[in-house]
Amino acid sequence: MNTTLTAVRSSSGSTDRVRQQARLARERTVTRVGLALVAWGRRLDARLTTEAVTMSRRNAELANALRDGTYAGVSTLTRPSL
């Protein structure tokens, strides 16, 4: 059995097509990464604004008050009446 490998040079058209597809893939990747970085920056800015910090503190205080009130109600229910 006689097998031969022959290397054929690719045509210029297919090389150009592959290069164009690679370039377009890089452009799509760069665009997606850029948009992800912009969104991340906006989320970071939103977390650092004074309104966001104030709202976060207010929500934490409200949660603490509700939690304390809930536990106080539960603890009064479990006390034996005299």
Side-chain angles (χ1 to χ4, degrees), residues 9-28:
R9 189 174 183 144
S10 64
S11 66
S12 177
S14 68
T15 303
D16 291 340
R17 189 171 41 251
V18 169
R19 285 183 181 155
Q20 182 181 13
Q21 289 172 348
R23 184 181 54 79
L24 291 173
R26 280 193 305 273
E27 287 177 3
R28 284 192 304 269

Side-chain angles (χ1 to χ4, degrees), residues 42-69:
R42 287 181 179 167
R43 284 192 309 269
L44 183 63
D45 289 343
R47 279 188 269 155
L48 297 179
T49 61
T50 56
E51 295 86 12
V53 172
T54 304
M55 183 180 292
S56 176
R57 287 181 183 160
R58 187 178 306 136
N59 288 341
E61 290 172 0
L62 178 61
N64 288 335
L66 289 173
R67 185 192 66 225
D68 293 343

Side-chain angles (χ1 to χ4, degrees), residues 1-7:
M1 185 177 256
N2 194 1
T3 58
T4 307
L5 289 176
T6 307

